[in-house]
Amino acid sequence: MGLFDKKEPETIEVAGHALVCPICGGTLFWSREAQLNTSMASFFNLDWANKSATCFVCAKCTHISWFLG
């Protein structure tokens, strides 16, 4: 499907609040998972053991907001 999981961006809620882009005020986002690689894990080929984060990419300005957990 390409770079983003869904074809159309959507509104996102985080901790009971609508996500608003801190840069442009946009309210539509694409979501995707990203792995948080560390140099030590990469050195030993253990990238699979690194944590991952959920990223929301603003559909208006492409600012990326990262969330752990």
Side-chain angles (χ1 to χ4, degrees):
M1 189 178 300
L3 181 61
F4 301 108
D5 295 335
K6 297 188 176 201
K7 289 184 179 183
E8 296 297 322
E10 58 189 358
T11 58
I12 303 295
E13 190 174 290
V14 177
H17 300 279
L19 182 62
V20 177
C21 178
I23 304 302
C24 72
T27 58
L28 295 175
F29 298 85
W30 286 287
S31 63
R32 65 178 289 128
E33 293 291 315
Q35 193 170 27
L36 304 174
N37 290 340
T38 62
S39 57
M40 185 63 78
S42 294
F43 180 78
F44 289 107
N45 264 346
L46 297 174
D47 289 318
W48 57 268
N50 286 313
K51 291 182 181 181
S52 63
T54 302
C55 300
F56 297 112
V57 181
C58 177
K60 193 172 179 181
C61 74
T62 68
H63 173 79
I64 303 172
S65 298
W66 297 68
F67 294 88
L68 292 174

Short mmCIF file of all heavy atoms in Angstrom, two decimals:
data_model
loop_
_atom_site.label_atom_id
_atom_site.label_comp_id
_atom_site.label_asym_id
_atom_site.label_seq_id
_atom_site.Cartn_x
_atom_site.Cartn_y
_atom_site.Cartn_z
N MET A 1 0.82 -1.19 0.00
CA MET A 1 0.00 0.00 0.00
C MET A 1 0.86 1.26 0.00
O MET A 1 0.38 2.35 -0.17
CB MET A 1 -0.93 -0.02 1.21
CG MET A 1 -1.96 1.08 1.17
SD MET A 1 -3.12 1.10 2.53
CE MET A 1 -3.88 -0.49 2.38
N GLY A 2 2.13 1.15 0.24
CA GLY A 2 2.96 2.33 0.20
C GLY A 2 3.50 2.72 1.56
O GLY A 2 3.58 1.91 2.47
N LEU A 3 3.84 3.99 1.68
CA LEU A 3 4.48 4.50 2.88
C LEU A 3 3.59 4.44 4.10
O LEU A 3 4.03 4.16 5.20
CB LEU A 3 4.95 5.94 2.65
CG LEU A 3 5.66 6.64 3.79
CD1 LEU A 3 6.93 5.90 4.17
CD2 LEU A 3 5.99 8.07 3.42
N PHE A 4 2.30 4.68 3.95
CA PHE A 4 1.39 4.75 5.09
C PHE A 4 0.44 3.57 5.10
O PHE A 4 0.12 3.00 4.08
CB PHE A 4 0.63 6.07 5.09
CG PHE A 4 1.55 7.25 5.14
CD1 PHE A 4 1.73 8.06 4.03
CD2 PHE A 4 2.26 7.55 6.28
CE1 PHE A 4 2.59 9.14 4.07
CE2 PHE A 4 3.12 8.63 6.34
CZ PHE A 4 3.29 9.42 5.23
N ASP A 5 -0.02 3.19 6.30
CA ASP A 5 -0.88 2.02 6.47
C ASP A 5 -2.25 2.20 5.82
O ASP A 5 -2.84 1.25 5.36
CB ASP A 5 -1.07 1.72 7.96
CG ASP A 5 0.23 1.32 8.64
OD1 ASP A 5 1.13 0.82 7.94
OD2 ASP A 5 0.34 1.51 9.85
N LYS A 6 -2.78 3.41 5.80
CA LYS A 6 -4.11 3.66 5.24
C LYS A 6 -4.00 4.67 4.10
O LYS A 6 -3.12 5.51 4.10
CB LYS A 6 -5.04 4.20 6.31
CG LYS A 6 -5.28 3.20 7.43
CD LYS A 6 -6.35 3.68 8.36
CE LYS A 6 -6.59 2.59 9.39
NZ LYS A 6 -7.86 2.70 10.02
N LYS A 7 -4.92 4.59 3.16
CA LYS A 7 -4.89 5.51 2.03
C LYS A 7 -5.26 6.92 2.44
O LYS A 7 -4.75 7.88 1.90
CB LYS A 7 -5.84 5.02 0.94
CG LYS A 7 -5.35 3.78 0.24
CD LYS A 7 -6.28 3.40 -0.89
CE LYS A 7 -5.76 2.16 -1.58
NZ LYS A 7 -6.57 1.78 -2.73
N GLU A 8 -6.18 7.06 3.39
CA GLU A 8 -6.65 8.38 3.81
C GLU A 8 -6.23 8.65 5.25
O GLU A 8 -6.31 7.76 6.10
CB GLU A 8 -8.17 8.46 3.71
CG GLU A 8 -8.70 8.32 2.30
CD GLU A 8 -8.25 9.44 1.38
OE1 GLU A 8 -8.17 10.59 1.83
OE2 GLU A 8 -7.96 9.15 0.21
N PRO A 9 -5.78 9.87 5.56
CA PRO A 9 -5.44 10.20 6.94
C PRO A 9 -6.70 10.25 7.80
O PRO A 9 -7.81 10.37 7.26
CB PRO A 9 -4.79 11.58 6.83
CG PRO A 9 -5.34 12.16 5.58
CD PRO A 9 -5.59 11.00 4.66
N GLU A 10 -6.55 10.14 9.11
CA GLU A 10 -7.70 10.13 10.01
C GLU A 10 -7.41 10.92 11.27
O GLU A 10 -6.25 11.24 11.55
CB GLU A 10 -8.08 8.70 10.36
CG GLU A 10 -6.96 7.92 11.01
CD GLU A 10 -7.29 6.44 11.16
OE1 GLU A 10 -8.39 6.01 10.80
OE2 GLU A 10 -6.42 5.71 11.65
N THR A 11 -8.45 11.24 12.01
CA THR A 11 -8.27 11.91 13.30
C THR A 11 -7.75 10.87 14.30
O THR A 11 -8.08 9.69 14.20
CB THR A 11 -9.59 12.52 13.82
OG1 THR A 11 -10.55 11.49 13.92
CG2 THR A 11 -10.08 13.62 12.90
N ILE A 12 -6.94 11.32 15.24
CA ILE A 12 -6.30 10.44 16.22
C ILE A 12 -6.62 10.96 17.62
O ILE A 12 -6.60 12.16 17.87
CB ILE A 12 -4.77 10.41 16.02
CG1 ILE A 12 -4.40 9.97 14.60
CG2 ILE A 12 -4.10 9.54 17.07
CD1 ILE A 12 -4.78 8.55 14.25
N GLU A 13 -6.88 10.03 18.53
CA GLU A 13 -7.11 10.39 19.93
C GLU A 13 -5.99 9.78 20.77
O GLU A 13 -5.68 8.60 20.63
CB GLU A 13 -8.46 9.85 20.39
CG GLU A 13 -8.87 10.37 21.74
CD GLU A 13 -10.27 9.94 22.11
OE1 GLU A 13 -11.22 10.44 21.49
OE2 GLU A 13 -10.39 9.10 23.02
N VAL A 14 -5.38 10.59 21.62
CA VAL A 14 -4.31 10.14 22.51
C VAL A 14 -4.70 10.52 23.93
O VAL A 14 -4.94 11.71 24.22
CB VAL A 14 -2.95 10.79 22.14
CG1 VAL A 14 -1.87 10.35 23.12
CG2 VAL A 14 -2.56 10.44 20.71
N ALA A 15 -4.78 9.54 24.81
CA ALA A 15 -5.13 9.76 26.22
C ALA A 15 -6.42 10.56 26.37
O ALA A 15 -6.54 11.44 27.21
CB ALA A 15 -3.99 10.44 26.95
N GLY A 16 -7.39 10.28 25.50
CA GLY A 16 -8.68 10.93 25.59
C GLY A 16 -8.77 12.31 24.97
O GLY A 16 -9.78 13.00 25.12
N HIS A 17 -7.72 12.73 24.26
CA HIS A 17 -7.70 14.06 23.64
C HIS A 17 -7.40 13.92 22.15
O HIS A 17 -6.58 13.10 21.75
CB HIS A 17 -6.62 14.95 24.27
CG HIS A 17 -6.83 15.17 25.73
ND1 HIS A 17 -7.71 16.10 26.21
CD2 HIS A 17 -6.29 14.56 26.81
CE1 HIS A 17 -7.69 16.07 27.54
NE2 HIS A 17 -6.84 15.13 27.93
N ALA A 18 -8.05 14.76 21.35
CA ALA A 18 -7.78 14.76 19.91
C ALA A 18 -6.36 15.27 19.67
O ALA A 18 -5.95 16.26 20.26
CB ALA A 18 -8.78 15.66 19.20
N LEU A 19 -5.62 14.55 18.84
CA LEU A 19 -4.26 14.97 18.50
C LEU A 19 -4.34 16.14 17.53
O LEU A 19 -5.08 16.10 16.54
CB LEU A 19 -3.49 13.81 17.87
CG LEU A 19 -2.03 14.08 17.49
CD1 LEU A 19 -1.20 14.43 18.73
CD2 LEU A 19 -1.44 12.86 16.80
N VAL A 20 -3.57 17.18 17.82
CA VAL A 20 -3.48 18.37 16.97
C VAL A 20 -2.00 18.59 16.69
O VAL A 20 -1.17 18.57 17.61
CB VAL A 20 -4.08 19.61 17.65
CG1 VAL A 20 -3.90 20.85 16.79
CG2 VAL A 20 -5.55 19.39 17.97
N CYS A 21 -1.64 18.78 15.44
CA CYS A 21 -0.25 19.00 15.08
C CYS A 21 0.28 20.26 15.77
O CYS A 21 -0.32 21.33 15.65
CB CYS A 21 -0.12 19.14 13.57
SG CYS A 21 1.58 19.47 13.02
N PRO A 22 1.42 20.15 16.48
CA PRO A 22 1.98 21.33 17.16
C PRO A 22 2.59 22.35 16.20
O PRO A 22 2.87 23.48 16.60
CB PRO A 22 3.04 20.74 18.08
CG PRO A 22 3.45 19.47 17.41
CD PRO A 22 2.22 18.96 16.72
N ILE A 23 2.77 21.99 14.95
CA ILE A 23 3.38 22.89 13.97
C ILE A 23 2.33 23.69 13.20
O ILE A 23 2.38 24.91 13.15
CB ILE A 23 4.27 22.10 12.98
CG1 ILE A 23 5.33 21.29 13.72
CG2 ILE A 23 4.91 23.03 11.95
CD1 ILE A 23 6.25 22.10 14.63
N CYS A 24 1.35 22.99 12.62
CA CYS A 24 0.40 23.67 11.74
C CYS A 24 -1.05 23.64 12.23
O CYS A 24 -1.91 24.25 11.63
CB CYS A 24 0.48 23.09 10.34
SG CYS A 24 -0.22 21.42 10.22
N GLY A 25 -1.31 22.89 13.30
CA GLY A 25 -2.67 22.79 13.81
C GLY A 25 -3.53 21.77 13.09
O GLY A 25 -4.73 21.69 13.33
N GLY A 26 -2.92 20.99 12.21
CA GLY A 26 -3.67 19.97 11.47
C GLY A 26 -4.27 18.92 12.40
O GLY A 26 -3.75 18.67 13.48
N THR A 27 -5.35 18.30 11.95
CA THR A 27 -6.03 17.30 12.77
C THR A 27 -6.19 15.95 12.07
O THR A 27 -6.84 15.05 12.59
CB THR A 27 -7.42 17.81 13.18
OG1 THR A 27 -8.17 18.10 12.00
CG2 THR A 27 -7.32 19.03 14.07
N LEU A 28 -5.58 15.79 10.89
CA LEU A 28 -5.62 14.52 10.18
C LEU A 28 -4.21 13.96 10.08
O LEU A 28 -3.25 14.68 9.76
CB LEU A 28 -6.20 14.71 8.78
CG LEU A 28 -7.67 15.12 8.73
CD1 LEU A 28 -8.08 15.40 7.29
CD2 LEU A 28 -8.56 14.07 9.36
N PHE A 29 -4.09 12.64 10.36
CA PHE A 29 -2.77 12.00 10.44
C PHE A 29 -2.79 10.62 9.81
O PHE A 29 -3.81 9.94 9.81
CB PHE A 29 -2.37 11.83 11.92
CG PHE A 29 -2.24 13.12 12.67
CD1 PHE A 29 -3.35 13.71 13.24
CD2 PHE A 29 -1.02 13.74 12.79
CE1 PHE A 29 -3.25 14.90 13.94
CE2 PHE A 29 -0.90 14.93 13.49
CZ PHE A 29 -2.01 15.51 14.06
N TRP A 30 -1.65 10.21 9.27
CA TRP A 30 -1.41 8.82 8.92
C TRP A 30 -0.67 8.21 10.11
O TRP A 30 0.09 8.89 10.79
CB TRP A 30 -0.52 8.70 7.69
CG TRP A 30 -1.19 9.04 6.40
CD1 TRP A 30 -2.11 8.30 5.73
CD2 TRP A 30 -0.97 10.21 5.60
NE1 TRP A 30 -2.48 8.93 4.57
CE2 TRP A 30 -1.79 10.11 4.47
CE3 TRP A 30 -0.16 11.33 5.74
CZ2 TRP A 30 -1.83 11.07 3.49
CZ3 TRP A 30 -0.20 12.30 4.77
CH2 TRP A 30 -1.03 12.17 3.66
N SER A 31 -0.86 6.92 10.34
CA SER A 31 -0.15 6.26 11.44
C SER A 31 0.73 5.14 10.91
O SER A 31 0.43 4.53 9.88
CB SER A 31 -1.15 5.73 12.47
OG SER A 31 -1.97 4.75 11.90
N ARG A 32 1.82 4.90 11.64
CA ARG A 32 2.71 3.80 11.31
C ARG A 32 3.55 3.46 12.52
O ARG A 32 3.70 4.27 13.42
CB ARG A 32 3.55 4.08 10.08
CG ARG A 32 4.54 5.23 10.18
CD ARG A 32 5.37 5.40 8.92
NE ARG A 32 6.30 4.32 8.78
CZ ARG A 32 6.44 3.57 7.68
NH1 ARG A 32 5.73 3.82 6.63
NH2 ARG A 32 7.31 2.60 7.62
N GLU A 33 4.12 2.29 12.53
CA GLU A 33 5.02 1.85 13.60
C GLU A 33 6.46 2.09 13.16
O GLU A 33 6.77 1.96 11.97
CB GLU A 33 4.83 0.36 13.88
CG GLU A 33 3.48 0.01 14.46
CD GLU A 33 3.31 0.52 15.88
OE1 GLU A 33 4.23 0.38 16.69
OE2 GLU A 33 2.23 1.07 16.17
N ALA A 34 7.30 2.45 14.10
CA ALA A 34 8.72 2.65 13.81
C ALA A 34 9.55 2.00 14.90
O ALA A 34 9.20 2.08 16.09
CB ALA A 34 9.05 4.14 13.73
N GLN A 35 10.62 1.35 14.52
CA GLN A 35 11.50 0.71 15.49
C GLN A 35 12.53 1.72 15.98
O GLN A 35 13.08 2.49 15.19
CB GLN A 35 12.19 -0.49 14.85
CG GLN A 35 12.88 -1.37 15.86
CD GLN A 35 13.36 -2.66 15.23
OE1 GLN A 35 13.63 -2.71 14.04
NE2 GLN A 35 13.49 -3.69 16.03
N LEU A 36 12.78 1.70 17.28
CA LEU A 36 13.75 2.61 17.89
C LEU A 36 15.07 1.86 18.05
O LEU A 36 15.34 1.26 19.08
CB LEU A 36 13.22 3.10 19.25
CG LEU A 36 11.86 3.77 19.20
CD1 LEU A 36 11.36 4.08 20.60
CD2 LEU A 36 11.92 5.04 18.37
N ASN A 37 15.88 1.88 17.01
CA ASN A 37 17.14 1.13 17.02
C ASN A 37 18.18 1.77 17.93
O ASN A 37 18.26 2.99 18.03
CB ASN A 37 17.70 1.04 15.61
CG ASN A 37 16.88 0.15 14.72
OD1 ASN A 37 16.12 -0.67 15.19
ND2 ASN A 37 17.02 0.32 13.42
N THR A 38 18.95 0.91 18.58
CA THR A 38 20.09 1.36 19.37
C THR A 38 21.36 0.83 18.73
O THR A 38 21.36 -0.23 18.10
CB THR A 38 20.01 0.86 20.83
OG1 THR A 38 20.05 -0.57 20.82
CG2 THR A 38 18.74 1.35 21.50
N SER A 39 22.45 1.55 18.89
CA SER A 39 23.70 1.13 18.25
C SER A 39 24.19 -0.21 18.80
O SER A 39 24.72 -1.04 18.06
CB SER A 39 24.78 2.20 18.41
OG SER A 39 25.00 2.49 19.77
N MET A 40 24.00 -0.46 20.09
CA MET A 40 24.47 -1.72 20.69
C MET A 40 23.69 -2.91 20.13
O MET A 40 24.28 -3.91 19.74
CB MET A 40 24.32 -1.67 22.21
CG MET A 40 24.90 -2.88 22.90
SD MET A 40 26.69 -3.05 22.68
CE MET A 40 27.27 -1.85 23.82
N ALA A 41 22.38 -2.80 20.06
CA ALA A 41 21.58 -3.90 19.52
C ALA A 41 21.91 -4.13 18.05
O ALA A 41 22.00 -5.27 17.59
CB ALA A 41 20.10 -3.62 19.71
N SER A 42 22.10 -3.05 17.30
CA SER A 42 22.45 -3.18 15.88
C SER A 42 23.80 -3.85 15.70
O SER A 42 23.98 -4.68 14.82
CB SER A 42 22.46 -1.81 15.21
OG SER A 42 21.16 -1.27 15.18
N PHE A 43 24.75 -3.50 16.55
CA PHE A 43 26.09 -4.09 16.48
C PHE A 43 26.04 -5.61 16.64
O PHE A 43 26.75 -6.35 15.96
CB PHE A 43 27.00 -3.49 17.56
CG PHE A 43 28.39 -4.04 17.56
CD1 PHE A 43 29.32 -3.62 16.62
CD2 PHE A 43 28.77 -4.99 18.49
CE1 PHE A 43 30.60 -4.14 16.61
CE2 PHE A 43 30.05 -5.51 18.50
CZ PHE A 43 30.98 -5.08 17.56
N PHE A 44 25.16 -6.09 17.53
CA PHE A 44 25.04 -7.52 17.78
C PHE A 44 23.91 -8.17 16.97
O PHE A 44 23.52 -9.30 17.25
CB PHE A 44 24.83 -7.78 19.28
CG PHE A 44 26.06 -7.52 20.10
CD1 PHE A 44 26.13 -6.41 20.92
CD2 PHE A 44 27.15 -8.38 20.04
CE1 PHE A 44 27.26 -6.15 21.67
CE2 PHE A 44 28.28 -8.14 20.79
CZ PHE A 44 28.34 -7.02 21.61
N ASN A 45 23.38 -7.48 15.97
CA ASN A 45 22.29 -7.99 15.14
C ASN A 45 21.05 -8.35 15.96
O ASN A 45 20.37 -9.33 15.70
CB ASN A 45 22.73 -9.22 14.33
CG ASN A 45 23.16 -8.85 12.94
OD1 ASN A 45 22.90 -7.75 12.48
ND2 ASN A 45 23.82 -9.78 12.27
N LEU A 46 20.74 -7.53 16.96
CA LEU A 46 19.58 -7.76 17.81
C LEU A 46 18.55 -6.65 17.65
O LEU A 46 17.84 -6.29 18.60
CB LEU A 46 20.02 -7.86 19.28
CG LEU A 46 20.94 -9.03 19.63
CD1 LEU A 46 21.43 -8.94 21.05
CD2 LEU A 46 20.22 -10.35 19.39
N ASP A 47 18.44 -6.09 16.46
CA ASP A 47 17.50 -5.00 16.24
C ASP A 47 16.06 -5.39 16.59
O ASP A 47 15.27 -4.55 17.02
CB ASP A 47 17.54 -4.52 14.78
CG ASP A 47 18.82 -3.78 14.47
OD1 ASP A 47 19.25 -2.97 15.30
OD2 ASP A 47 19.39 -4.01 13.39
N TRP A 48 15.72 -6.66 16.45
CA TRP A 48 14.38 -7.13 16.76
C TRP A 48 14.03 -6.91 18.22
O TRP A 48 12.86 -6.85 18.60
CB TRP A 48 14.24 -8.62 16.41
CG TRP A 48 15.25 -9.48 17.12
CD1 TRP A 48 16.48 -9.84 16.65
CD2 TRP A 48 15.13 -10.05 18.42
NE1 TRP A 48 17.14 -10.59 17.58
CE2 TRP A 48 16.34 -10.74 18.69
CE3 TRP A 48 14.16 -10.04 19.40
CZ2 TRP A 48 16.57 -11.42 19.88
CZ3 TRP A 48 14.39 -10.71 20.59
CH2 TRP A 48 15.58 -11.39 20.82
N ALA A 49 15.03 -6.78 19.10
CA ALA A 49 14.79 -6.62 20.53
C ALA A 49 14.54 -5.16 20.94
O ALA A 49 14.18 -4.90 22.07
CB ALA A 49 15.99 -7.17 21.32
N ASN A 50 14.72 -4.23 20.01
CA ASN A 50 14.49 -2.83 20.33
C ASN A 50 13.01 -2.53 20.47
O ASN A 50 12.17 -3.21 19.89
CB ASN A 50 15.08 -1.93 19.23
CG ASN A 50 16.57 -1.87 19.29
OD1 ASN A 50 17.15 -1.68 20.34
ND2 ASN A 50 17.21 -2.01 18.14
N LYS A 51 12.70 -1.48 21.22
CA LYS A 51 11.32 -1.04 21.38
C LYS A 51 10.83 -0.42 20.07
O LYS A 51 11.62 -0.02 19.23
CB LYS A 51 11.22 0.01 22.48
CG LYS A 51 11.48 -0.53 23.86
CD LYS A 51 11.32 0.59 24.88
CE LYS A 51 11.59 0.07 26.27
NZ LYS A 51 11.42 1.12 27.28
N SER A 52 9.50 -0.35 19.95
CA SER A 52 8.93 0.34 18.80
C SER A 52 8.03 1.47 19.29
O SER A 52 7.63 1.50 20.46
CB SER A 52 8.16 -0.62 17.90
OG SER A 52 7.07 -1.16 18.60
N ALA A 53 7.74 2.39 18.41
CA ALA A 53 6.88 3.53 18.73
C ALA A 53 5.82 3.66 17.65
O ALA A 53 5.99 3.21 16.53
CB ALA A 53 7.71 4.81 18.80
N THR A 54 4.72 4.28 18.02
CA THR A 54 3.68 4.62 17.06
C THR A 54 3.92 6.05 16.62
O THR A 54 4.12 6.94 17.45
CB THR A 54 2.28 4.49 17.68
OG1 THR A 54 2.11 3.15 18.14
CG2 THR A 54 1.20 4.82 16.66
N CYS A 55 3.96 6.26 15.32
CA CYS A 55 4.19 7.60 14.76
C CYS A 55 2.93 8.06 14.05
O CYS A 55 2.30 7.29 13.33
CB CYS A 55 5.33 7.57 13.76
SG CYS A 55 6.88 7.02 14.45
N PHE A 56 2.60 9.32 14.26
CA PHE A 56 1.48 9.93 13.55
C PHE A 56 2.04 11.06 12.70
O PHE A 56 2.68 11.98 13.21
CB PHE A 56 0.43 10.46 14.53
CG PHE A 56 -0.18 9.35 15.35
CD1 PHE A 56 0.06 9.26 16.71
CD2 PHE A 56 -0.99 8.39 14.76
CE1 PHE A 56 -0.50 8.25 17.47
CE2 PHE A 56 -1.54 7.36 15.51
CZ PHE A 56 -1.29 7.30 16.87
N VAL A 57 1.84 10.96 11.40
CA VAL A 57 2.38 11.92 10.44
C VAL A 57 1.26 12.87 10.02
O VAL A 57 0.24 12.43 9.48
CB VAL A 57 2.96 11.20 9.20
CG1 VAL A 57 3.56 12.21 8.23
CG2 VAL A 57 3.99 10.16 9.62
N CYS A 58 1.46 14.15 10.27
CA CYS A 58 0.46 15.15 9.93
C CYS A 58 0.25 15.18 8.41
O CYS A 58 1.21 15.27 7.64
CB CYS A 58 0.90 16.53 10.43
SG CYS A 58 -0.24 17.86 9.98
N ALA A 59 -1.01 15.10 8.01
CA ALA A 59 -1.34 15.11 6.59
C ALA A 59 -1.14 16.47 5.95
O ALA A 59 -1.01 16.58 4.74
CB ALA A 59 -2.79 14.67 6.38
N LYS A 60 -1.07 17.51 6.77
CA LYS A 60 -0.95 18.87 6.25
C LYS A 60 0.52 19.30 6.07
O LYS A 60 0.89 19.82 5.03
CB LYS A 60 -1.67 19.82 7.21
CG LYS A 60 -1.92 21.21 6.70
CD LYS A 60 -2.80 21.95 7.70
CE LYS A 60 -3.07 23.36 7.26
NZ LYS A 60 -3.90 24.07 8.26
N CYS A 61 1.36 19.06 7.09
CA CYS A 61 2.75 19.55 7.03
C CYS A 61 3.80 18.44 7.15
O CYS A 61 4.98 18.71 7.07
CB CYS A 61 3.00 20.61 8.10
SG CYS A 61 3.15 19.96 9.78
N THR A 62 3.39 17.21 7.38
CA THR A 62 4.22 16.01 7.53
C THR A 62 5.07 15.98 8.80
O THR A 62 5.98 15.16 8.91
CB THR A 62 5.11 15.73 6.29
OG1 THR A 62 6.11 16.71 6.18
CG2 THR A 62 4.29 15.63 5.02
N HIS A 63 4.75 16.82 9.78
CA HIS A 63 5.43 16.72 11.08
C HIS A 63 5.10 15.35 11.67
O HIS A 63 3.98 14.86 11.56
CB HIS A 63 4.94 17.83 12.02
CG HIS A 63 5.46 17.68 13.41
ND1 HIS A 63 6.74 18.06 13.76
CD2 HIS A 63 4.88 17.18 14.53
CE1 HIS A 63 6.91 17.81 15.04
NE2 HIS A 63 5.81 17.27 15.53
N ILE A 64 6.08 14.72 12.32
CA ILE A 64 5.90 13.40 12.91
C ILE A 64 5.84 13.52 14.43
O ILE A 64 6.77 14.05 15.04
CB ILE A 64 7.03 12.43 12.51
CG1 ILE A 64 7.12 12.34 10.99
CG2 ILE A 64 6.82 11.06 13.15
CD1 ILE A 64 8.34 11.56 10.50
N SER A 65 4.76 12.99 15.02
CA SER A 65 4.63 12.90 16.47
C SER A 65 4.83 11.45 16.87
O SER A 65 4.19 10.55 16.31
CB SER A 65 3.23 13.38 16.90
OG SER A 65 3.03 14.73 16.57
N TRP A 66 5.73 11.21 17.84
CA TRP A 66 6.10 9.86 18.26
C TRP A 66 5.50 9.57 19.63
O TRP A 66 5.51 10.41 20.51
CB TRP A 66 7.62 9.74 18.38
CG TRP A 66 8.37 9.92 17.11
CD1 TRP A 66 8.52 11.07 16.40
CD2 TRP A 66 9.11 8.92 16.42
NE1 TRP A 66 9.31 10.84 15.29
CE2 TRP A 66 9.69 9.53 15.29
CE3 TRP A 66 9.34 7.57 16.66
CZ2 TRP A 66 10.47 8.83 14.40
CZ3 TRP A 66 10.14 6.87 15.76
CH2 TRP A 66 10.68 7.50 14.65
N PHE A 67 5.01 8.32 19.80
CA PHE A 67 4.45 7.89 21.07
C PHE A 67 4.96 6.49 21.40
O PHE A 67 4.89 5.58 20.57
CB PHE A 67 2.92 7.88 21.02
CG PHE A 67 2.33 9.25 20.86
CD1 PHE A 67 2.13 9.78 19.60
CD2 PHE A 67 2.00 10.00 21.97
CE1 PHE A 67 1.60 11.06 19.45
CE2 PHE A 67 1.46 11.28 21.83
CZ PHE A 67 1.26 11.79 20.57
N LEU A 68 5.46 6.30 22.62
CA LEU A 68 5.89 5.00 23.10
C LEU A 68 4.74 4.31 23.80
O LEU A 68 3.88 4.96 24.38
CB LEU A 68 7.05 5.13 24.09
CG LEU A 68 8.37 5.62 23.51
CD1 LEU A 68 9.37 5.85 24.63
CD2 LEU A 68 8.91 4.59 22.53
N GLY A 69 4.76 2.99 23.76
CA GLY A 69 3.79 2.22 24.54
C GLY A 69 2.43 2.12 23.92
O GLY A 69 2.09 2.61 22.91
#
